[in-house]
Amino acid sequence: MKSRDHRFRNGSKGRSCVNRLPAVLATAAGVCLFLLALLLGLEGARAQGETPPVPETPGEGVSQAGQVYFYLEGKLSPVSREVAGGPQAVEFTVMELLNGPKEEEKAQGYVTYIPEGVKLQYTTVKQDRSEYSVNLSRELLQLSGDRERALKALAQVVKTVRDASQIEKIGVTVAAEESGVQPADAFQALGVSPRDVEAEISGTSPSGGSSRLWLVLLLALGIPLLVLIAALAFILRKRASNPGEVRPVVGTAARPALRVKRRRGATPPPPAPWKEPRSRRKGRKRGKHEK
C-alpha cells in the first residue's frame, strides 16, 4: 500500500507539471507583450520627442550666425550665413537657402537641388511648437518626375528649417494656383515620403527603422518559444527520473496487480473446466446427456 501511494504521488506530480504548462506559457506571453509595448512606447516617445523650448533670438536688426545646407560631394553639408535676428530669423534663413550657394561656394563644389526661382510664401508654427511648416512657391513642382533631385531638395529644406527653428517635425507645402484653395503637401506632390527624407538627412537607408522593429518583434516571439522549450525539457526530465511510475486514468485510482503467494510443495489448483464456445454449440444437436 505504501508503494501504491508513492507511485500515485509521482503520477500526480507529473500530471501537475503538465497542468501548469499553460499557466507558465500564458505568464511568459504576458511578460513578452508588456516588454514589446514598452519598447514600442519608448520608440514612439523618442521619435516624437519632448516639446522643444522656444529658442532665444537676438533683437530685431541684430545679425546672428545661421546655417543653410547644400550638397558637397554628394553629402548634405552646412554653410554659415549671417541672418537678421528676431522672430523672423527662420524666414531669413530659408531665404538664404533659396538664394543658393555663392560664387566662391560654387567654386568649392557646393551645389543645390532646389530649382531657381522658388520663393518663400509664408511659415506657420503650432502653438505648442510641435511642428514648423514652410510654404514655397509652385516653382518647386519642377522637380516632379525626378525623385532623386526632389529627395535632395526637400532634405535641404527640412534640415535647414529644423536647425533654425529647433523643432523636430518640419512640414513643406506648395502654394495653390488659386486663392482659397488648400496648399498641396510637397512630399506627396513630388512622390517622396518624409521617411525617405529623414533617411537622406541622417545618411542611413530607409529600411533601418523597419529592421529595428523586426528585431523587437523577433525578440518578443522568440522568448515564449524558449520558455516553451524549457518547459518541455523540464517535463521530459521529470519523466526520465521516474520511469516506473504508474499514471492513473483520470477519474480512477491506480490499482496495482494482486500477487497470490503459494506455499512450497503445495499442489497447484486444478484448471477450470473447458467449455465449448456458444458459436460451435449452436450448429450441432444436443445429446441426451446434455441439457
Side-chain angles (χ1 to χ4, degrees):
M1 193 69 182
K2 182 177 180 181
S3 62
R4 174 186 174 185
D5 295 341
H6 174 68
R7 287 180 294 179
F8 184 77
R9 283 196 300 269
N10 288 339
S12 62
K13 184 177 180 180
R15 191 171 69 244
S16 63
C17 293
V18 177
N19 294 335
R20 283 200 299 266
L21 180 59
V24 173
L25 294 179
T27 304
V31 172
C32 293
L33 290 177
F34 172 76
L35 293 176
L36 179 61
L38 182 61
L39 290 174
L40 293 179
L42 291 177
E43 288 291 334
R46 184 182 303 174
Q48 182 178 3
E50 298 179 355
T51 302
V54 179
E56 295 182 0
T57 57
E60 295 183 3
V62 179
S63 62
Q64 62 178 5
Q67 284 184 341
V68 295
Y69 282 83
F70 301 119
Y71 273 86
L72 178 63
E73 296 180 354
K75 295 183 179 179
L76 200 61
S77 304
V79 176
S80 299
R81 285 287 190 272
E82 289 290 332
V83 296
Q88 296 182 341
V90 180
E91 286 86 341
F92 290 129
T93 304
V94 176
M95 291 178 184
E96 289 290 337
L97 171 67
L98 298 179
N99 290 333
K102 300 178 181 180
E103 294 299 329
E104 58 270 17
E105 294 170 348
K106 291 179 180 180
Q108 296 175 5
Y110 288 96
V111 296
T112 181
Y113 291 91
I114 302 175
E116 187 177 356
V118 177
K119 303 298 181 182
L120 176 65
Q121 302 297 317
Y122 57 86
T123 62
T124 57
V125 58
K126 288 188 177 181
Q127 188 174 2
D128 57 355
R129 297 187 61 81
S130 61
E131 182 179 0
Y132 197 102
S133 179
V134 295
N135 182 268
L136 304 179
S137 61
R138 296 187 62 82
E139 284 79 6
L140 185 66
L141 298 180
Q142 296 176 11
L143 300 175
S144 299
D146 191 347
R147 186 180 182 279
E148 187 68 23
R149 187 179 176 185
L151 176 65
K152 294 181 181 297
L154 290 176
Q156 288 180 243
V157 176
V158 171
K159 182 61 175 174
T160 300
V161 177
R162 179 176 295 166
D163 286 4
S165 63
Q166 298 184 11
I167 296 177
E168 185 68 21
K169 188 175 182 180
I170 305 299
V172 183
T173 58
V174 180
E177 294 182 358
E178 302 177 358
S179 59
V181 180
Q182 291 293 333
D185 183 81
F187 298 97
Q188 296 180 0
L190 299 177
V192 178
S193 66
R195 180 180 173 185
D196 294 336
V197 174
E198 294 299 332
E200 176 69 20
I201 294 174
S202 60
T204 59
S205 61
S207 60
S210 61
S211 62
R212 184 181 303 175
L213 180 60
W214 276 109
L215 178 61
V216 173
L217 294 177
L218 182 61
L219 291 176
L221 295 177
I223 294 176
L225 182 60
L226 293 177
V227 173
L228 176 60
I229 295 175
L232 292 177
F234 175 76
I235 293 174
L236 294 176
R237 184 179 178 184
K238 284 292 183 180
R239 290 182 179 178
S241 61
N242 300 316
E245 65 180 3
V246 178
R247 301 196 172 197
V249 182
V250 178
T252 61
R255 297 181 179 179
L258 299 178
R259 301 181 62 182
V260 180
K261 293 185 179 180
R262 193 177 298 169
R263 297 180 181 179
R264 292 183 180 180
T267 58
W274 181 82
K275 292 184 179 181
E276 189 177 5
R278 291 184 178 182
S279 60
R280 298 179 58 182
R281 285 186 288 178
K282 287 182 180 180
R284 66 181 181 86
K285 297 181 180 180
R286 295 183 180 181
K288 294 181 180 181
H289 61 282
E290 294 180 347
K291 293 182 181 182

